[in-house]
Amino acid sequence: MKIVGLRNNICVKNGKMTCGSKMLENFISPYNSTIVERLNTAGVKTENIDMKEFGVVEDNFIQEFFAGNTSNTAIMVDGSGEIARNSVNGLIGIKPTFGAVSRYGVVTVAPSLEQAGVISKDINELKEVFDIIKGYDEKDSASVKEVLENKQSDDIKIGAISEAMNLVNGFTAQKVEITNLKYAKKVACMISSAESSSNLARYDGIKYGHRAENTSTWKEVYTKSRQEGFGYDVKKKMIAGTFFLDRDNMEEYYKRAEKIRTLIKQEVKELFKKVDVIAIPSDSEYTCIANLTGRPAISANGVTLIGNFFEEERLIKLASELTK
Amino acid sequence: MAREDYEIVIGLETHIELGTKTKIFCNCSTEFGGEPNAHTCPVCLALPGATPVLNEKVVEYAVKAGLATNCTIPEYTWQNRKNYLYPDMSPGYQVSQTEDFICQNGYIEIDTENGPKKIRIYEIHIETDAGKLVHGEYTNSSLVDLNRAGVPLAEIVSEPDLRSSEEVEKYLRSLKAIMEYIGVSDCKMQEGSMRADINLSVRKKGDPKYGNRTEMKNMNSFKFIVKAIEYEALRQIDILEDGGEVPSETVRWDEVSQKTIPMRDKDSAAYRPFPDPELAPIVLTKEYVENIRESLPELPEVRKKRYIEEYGLPEYDSKVITASKHFADLFEGAAKICNNPKAVSNWIMTEIIKVLNDQGLEPADIPFSSSDLGNLIILIDNGTISGGIGKKVLAEMFENPKAPEVIVKEKGWVQISDEGAIKEVVLKVLENNPQSVADYKAGKDKALGFLVGQAMKETRGQGNPGMLNKMFLDELKK
């Protein structure tokens, strides 16, 4: 492996990074993300993969990239199960534990949900690339210095939500239930909208990025630049998020969403006392459970397995059996 | 009703710049000044993808400030984003705290006419400073300098326990002294590393309800603070006396017109504060907090008492000297060396304070060490130089800092105590001033002073005044 695909929201020094947005159409990153630093050290080159604006709208560029046959592996950001949904046609994808791969230099819309991961045609290469980019980085607050190793027996207990029972044929699986599962997508959407309204505030036309012409006040620089620079879906998301965080709506929307997120985390934590992984369908709206809980997830053959924190290696092993 | 029938109620929000070497979320220098945008990096410029990491020193300094002001430190706290757009705020939000603050429910004591008074501190929190806009370099545009962006601040919020401009000044001076002692901030008002927002209302004495309050933002001079409070209190009383209602608003002290002027305010409730998703929560274990508590140095109040007991300083002297850590350290170091604490305190309280005031300097700017001051006093005490020469040496120590003995030697200022030399001068002066000799012998004692003065002139101030005095008396008796 000499080259991997890299989504256009991961900084490469002196490289054009648009995040698929007019807002950053001419932005050249003056610094490397930690991911790219580590790839460089390992002698791995990168090739750009386009995206739709800030990843707010999903696209098929990952599939096009793999069809192009230049590389077996790509690195992309996952905020609500994009890696799972792209792990089709023989691709295997891993969304690591929150903080397992440094977020430094990775452009985020909703930082509490997003995490860069790896997607590959080949499970060995997936592991190889993950091993290169993972690990402690002092530039990322979510990064962890020491990972407590859980005792891992070879005997893995699989739990599956009812929709996934038929996807783990050949394995012994027990059916599990997450009562708040039905709220997961809405909660993730509310939280990511709220965070986006703040996280995209830095794109103001003042320091870098698209700047409107013929402005006479700083406010006009902001409003015109943002009006011209952002597309419809990004604007919609930010406006919704601003609404959810507004003092009159905060309790009912943002705080409520965070409460349900906490309940989901607790419920999932309880389940993990009984099982080692939880299986869900990769094409379902439930994949965002991995983002809401910060847990790692591996996807192959239509099934996504959510694991315990920092147990990516175990998940990769399991996936290689699953794909046999 | 008369103005005396009203009570002024004041609460302060005091911002101090924490003296960490690097910014709150990156490794950029916090140094004052520098070329515009020299102290910036992807994080404080808010470039796409740059993630913040909390500087642990900021937490440590905030906890120190909290413990030194008798606050409770919670086991868990976090930082919120306050969202607002302005070109000096690079990420489009300020990282601050709006609930469950890092320091809670403390107090400090100030001296009042009626004895010590507790001023309660509601909370202390950490937050980021903004950059600044530079206007006027080009027409039709302003420039942004982000050197200050991400410099750590602590905001100390008092309860509305202050009742006069004197109390406000005492409270601020006391806060400044405490922060200096524990080394978390130099609190230099003129450089903006300490500034206060003053919340002020008035009410009739005995009224349990607070009146509507106004907020005076970013006050950074004791002089202006006192003037502004007095003006604003009277303005509010006049409104009430005229049967009006004080509008709750933000006002600005205008030094030119000597008035407070209403200004447009951002609606602080519209900041949409929520936990910064890029930052980890702050966990403060009991052990961590206790370690910091144990490492706290002696605070001003304790030191004041100790100087009275240990060095026999009068209470007033001890208060003046311990009000600044720099004075206190200077005093104690010098007193240990020369073993003459009262002389050290006199030198600080008269000559040194005079030089500082004349040159507009702060105690922190004193360029010589405590051992230099101690050695200067030794030179006077052992008769090497006179007190008068001592003042010249001190001026030189400010001007061109060197050890006092070196200055004395280089300038040839050693006191003349040689009996033969003194006698020679005395005889010369007597010979040149026959009229004064006659006056003295005629009973005009003043003439002696004139003769000694002439001898001092003759020796360029270096004659030992005690010896000269005695020698003149001896000679005149002859």
Side-chain angles (χ1 to χ4, degrees):
Chain A
M1 170 220 17
K2 286 275 182 290
I3 188 157
V4 297
L6 194 71
R7 270 285 217 203
N8 202 219
N9 56 353
I10 300 172
C11 293
V12 181
K13 191 173 176 175
N14 299 326
K16 199 168 180 179
M17 189 185 64
T18 69
C19 299
S21 177
K22 185 180 177 189
M23 188 49 105
L24 291 173
E25 63 189 345
N26 293 314
F27 182 75
I28 309 284
S29 175
Y31 75 107
N32 266 337
S33 56
T34 299
I35 289 176
V36 170
E37 285 287 332
R38 290 184 178 174
L39 290 172
N40 285 349
T41 307
V44 180
K45 290 195 163 40
T46 60
E47 187 187 334
N48 179 56
I49 306 176
D50 282 336
M51 62 192 298
K52 284 197 176 163
E53 195 173 15
F54 287 103
V56 167
V57 182
E58 288 193 38
D59 56 58
N60 57 357
F61 299 146
I62 295 289
Q63 297 307 317
E64 286 175 10
F65 172 77
F66 283 113
N69 257 336
T70 48
S71 168
N72 288 332
T73 306
I75 297 170
M76 67 182 284
V77 177
D78 183 307
S80 68
E82 292 88 340
I83 288 180
R85 284 188 286 282
N86 271 293
S87 296
V88 289
N89 306 326
L91 295 173
I92 307 152
I94 188 157
K95 196 278 311 178
T97 309
F98 185 69
V101 171
S102 171
R103 298 178 299 165
Y104 187 74
V106 176
V107 181
T108 52
V109 170
S112 81
L113 296 165
E114 287 164 2
Q115 174 63 54
V118 187
I119 186 162
S120 182
K121 289 177 181 169
D122 176 74
I123 193 149
N124 295 319
E125 205 172 298
L126 176 117
K127 184 174 183 318
E128 205 182 329
V129 173
F130 173 66
D131 285 344
I132 290 169
I133 63 173
K134 73 172 185 187
Y136 176 71
D137 178 17
E138 58 173 21
K139 291 177 182 153
D140 180 2
S141 304
S143 184
V144 182
K145 240 179 209 163
E146 279 169 88
V147 176
L148 291 174
E149 292 282 337
N150 282 332
K151 272 192 186 161
Q152 298 178 5
S153 69
D154 289 336
D155 173 32
I156 292 180
K157 284 183 252 143
I158 298 175
I161 64 166
S162 56
E163 293 90 331
M165 281 303 279
N166 64 332
L167 296 170
V168 284
N169 286 338
F171 290 83
T172 346
Q174 52 177 301
K175 202 162 118 180
V176 295
E177 197 192 350
I178 304 168
T179 53
N180 286 302
L181 198 58
K182 55 185 176 294
Y183 303 121
K185 193 184 174 193
K186 276 183 186 140
V187 164
C189 181
M190 258 180 212
I191 291 171
S192 75
S193 301
E195 291 182 6
S196 78
S197 73
S198 166
N199 234 52
L200 298 175
R202 64 185 55 196
Y203 307 111
D204 52 19
I206 299 278
K207 307 170 289 278
Y208 50 80
H210 177 74
R211 180 172 185 142
E213 284 173 9
N214 302 321
T215 54
S216 53
T217 63
W218 71 266
K219 274 190 182 166
E220 238 178 30
V221 175
Y222 273 64
T223 48
K224 279 193 178 172
S225 302
R226 288 167 68 80
Q227 195 174 16
E228 294 167 7
F230 288 128
Y232 174 81
D233 293 287
V234 171
K235 283 179 194 159
K236 193 169 92 175
K237 195 173 180 75
M238 286 193 291
I239 289 168
T242 305
F243 175 86
F244 297 145
L245 286 176
D246 184 273
R247 71 184 135 171
D248 295 332
N249 309 320
M250 173 84 92
E251 283 297 328
E252 201 178 333
Y253 294 90
Y254 176 74
K255 288 203 172 163
R256 203 157 160 207
E258 281 292 352
K259 274 179 200 156
I260 298 172
R261 182 181 193 174
T262 304
L263 290 176
I264 291 173
K265 278 184 187 172
Q266 285 167 351
E267 218 179 329
V268 171
K269 192 176 166 191
E270 280 303 309
L271 285 179
F272 269 87
K273 288 179 181 166
K274 293 187 285 183
V275 300
D276 299 311
V277 293
I278 295 174
I280 52 176
S282 296
D283 59 357
S284 71
E285 61 179 44
Y286 306 137
T287 48
C288 62
I289 287 290
N291 305 88
L292 286 170
T293 60
R295 288 169 183 269
I298 199 154
S299 306
N301 282 353
V303 64
T304 293
L305 301 171
I306 297 173
N308 238 327
F309 299 105
F310 298 102
E311 287 192 358
E312 285 84 1
E313 202 167 318
R314 196 180 195 187
L315 286 179
I316 293 170
K317 244 189 242 167
L318 191 59
S320 62
E321 285 170 39
L322 212 63
T323 49
K324 262 175 203 164
Chain B
M1 279 185 108
R3 281 171 182 175
E4 296 76 56
D5 297 326
Y6 284 88
E7 180 179 50
I8 308 174
V9 177
I10 302 167
L12 289 192
E13 291 161 30
T14 312
H15 300 259
I16 59 168
E17 183 188 322
L18 295 174
T20 55
K21 288 196 174 67
T22 54
K23 292 185 181 180
I24 186 167
F25 297 128
C26 58
N27 286 325
C28 290
S29 168
T30 54
E31 211 177 307
F32 190 73
E35 286 287 299
N37 298 308
H39 304 310
T40 57
C41 73
V43 174
C44 53
L45 290 174
L47 291 188
T51 45
V53 177
L54 179 60
N55 179 348
E56 284 171 18
K57 277 275 166 200
V58 172
V59 175
E60 185 191 318
Y61 280 21
V63 170
K64 271 189 180 173
L67 292 175
T69 52
N70 307 295
C71 286
T72 309
I73 311 296
E75 287 181 32
Y76 174 89
T77 183
W78 69 91
Q79 293 160 283
N80 274 352
R81 286 184 182 177
K82 285 165 78 174
N83 296 286
Y84 73 92
L85 300 178
Y86 198 67
D88 67 3
M89 192 54 87
S90 46
Y93 51 82
Q94 180 191 33
V95 179
S96 181
Q97 296 191 285
T98 56
E99 55 196 316
D100 294 307
F101 306 98
I102 189 163
C103 311
Q104 303 168 13
N105 302 322
Y107 66 89
I108 63 169
E109 270 186 5
I110 59 168
D111 289 324
T112 68
E113 287 166 6
N114 310 318
K117 178 177 174 182
K118 263 186 195 176
I119 307 300
R120 291 169 302 155
I121 288 168
Y122 172 59
E123 53 99 350
I124 303 177
H125 65 261
I126 50 178
E127 62 184 23
T128 54
D129 204 352
K132 66 171 184 187
L133 296 189
V134 183
H135 305 286
E137 294 252 332
Y138 298 96
T139 41
N140 299 329
S141 65
S142 299
L143 301 174
V144 185
D145 177 3
L146 293 173
N147 279 347
R148 308 302 299 156
V151 166
L153 304 176
E155 183 174 334
I156 303 164
V157 181
S158 86
E159 297 279 3
D161 289 349
L162 297 153
R163 292 291 175 270
S164 66
S165 58
E166 298 89 67
E167 287 190 8
V168 168
E169 185 171 352
K170 279 179 180 161
Y171 167 80
L172 284 172
R173 288 198 188 275
S174 177
L175 266 189
K176 181 173 154 81
I178 292 169
M179 297 309 149
E180 262 179 25
Y181 269 69
I182 59 174
V184 305
S185 175
D186 59 11
C187 294
K188 285 187 179 171
M189 277 197 157
Q190 71 275 27
E191 285 184 13
S193 65
M194 182 181 197
R195 48 190 197 250
D197 300 342
I198 301 167
N199 292 290
L200 186 149
S201 64
V202 297
R203 62 178 169 185
K204 284 188 182 136
K205 279 184 182 159
D207 193 337
K209 243 176 58 206
Y210 292 128
N212 286 349
R213 64 185 164 88
T214 61
E215 184 175 10
M216 291 183 273
K217 276 195 180 290
N218 279 328
M219 304 292 292
N220 65 348
S221 139
F222 285 117
K223 208 172 84 190
F224 295 169
I225 287 171
V226 170
K227 281 201 278 189
I229 288 173
E230 270 149 28
Y231 174 87
E232 180 61 15
L234 288 179
R235 187 183 74 90
Q236 291 191 12
I237 290 168
D238 282 345
I239 293 175
L240 294 180
E241 284 290 284
D242 290 346
E245 195 183 338
V246 175
S248 298
E249 63 187 351
T250 302
V251 296
R252 175 176 68 81
W253 172 249
D254 184 62
E255 185 52 22
V256 180
S257 64
Q258 299 278 307
K259 280 180 178 169
T260 53
I261 298 166
M263 57 188 270
R264 268 190 310 163
D265 191 18
K266 296 175 207 106
D267 182 357
S268 61
Y271 286 141
R272 306 186 303 278
F274 76 105
D276 192 318
E278 289 184 331
L279 291 165
I282 303 169
V283 177
L284 303 151
T285 63
K286 280 204 175 102
E287 193 193 356
Y288 172 82
V289 174
E290 287 317 308
N291 279 341
I292 293 179
R293 196 193 300 277
E294 275 164 35
S295 75
L296 279 185
E298 192 181 33
L299 294 172
E301 200 51 33
V302 179
R303 221 190 250 209
K304 186 182 105 188
K305 287 186 186 124
R306 184 165 66 78
Y307 283 4
I308 296 170
E309 284 162 22
E310 208 174 308
Y311 294 100
L313 283 191
E315 176 157 4
Y316 178 74
D317 291 30
S318 191
K319 203 169 111 182
V320 172
I321 285 180
T322 56
S324 152
K325 180 173 189 287
H326 300 282
F327 280 160
D329 290 345
L330 186 65
F331 166 79
E332 194 152 15
K336 281 204 171 115
I337 281 180
C338 69
N339 226 342
N340 188 351
K342 184 62 188 139
V344 178
S345 115
N346 285 346
W347 275 89
I348 293 175
M349 290 178 50
T350 54
E351 294 309 318
I352 292 178
I353 288 187
K354 186 169 168 286
V355 175
L356 294 180
N357 286 345
D358 287 351
Q359 304 187 9
L361 299 175
E362 295 256 345
D365 303 325
I366 295 173
F368 50 81
S369 68
S370 60
S371 55
D372 287 340
L373 179 61
N375 286 327
L376 172 64
I377 290 165
I378 288 176
L379 291 176
I380 299 166
D381 286 352
N382 69 14
T384 309
I385 57 170
S386 65
I389 292 288
K391 288 180 194 173
K392 282 164 73 175
V393 175
L394 184 77
E396 196 60 29
M397 283 157 68
F398 269 102
E399 240 359 80
N400 192 5
K402 277 183 189 168
E405 47 284 13
V406 174
I407 294 173
V408 167
K409 206 172 158 193
E410 283 180 3
K411 299 268 176 187
W413 284 345
V414 178
Q415 179 163 264
I416 299 165
S417 302
D418 174 71
E419 205 157 325
I422 292 280
K423 189 161 185 175
E424 205 175 298
V425 173
V426 167
L427 292 176
K428 189 179 170 193
V429 168
L430 288 172
E431 199 184 315
N432 292 341
N433 296 284
Q435 186 58 46
S436 296
V437 175
D439 285 352
Y440 182 78
K441 288 194 171 161
K444 287 185 185 166
D445 288 350
K446 266 189 186 167
L448 176 64
F450 175 76
L451 291 167
V452 173
Q454 289 302 303
M456 286 303 268
K457 216 182 215 174
E458 196 70 31
T459 58
R460 274 176 280 133
Q462 284 162 258
N464 181 324
M467 283 180 75
L468 282 170
N469 218 38
K470 189 166 173 294
M471 188 83 69
F472 271 115
L473 282 173
D474 288 350
E475 288 298 320
L476 288 165
K477 267 185 210 151
K478 279 180 188 169

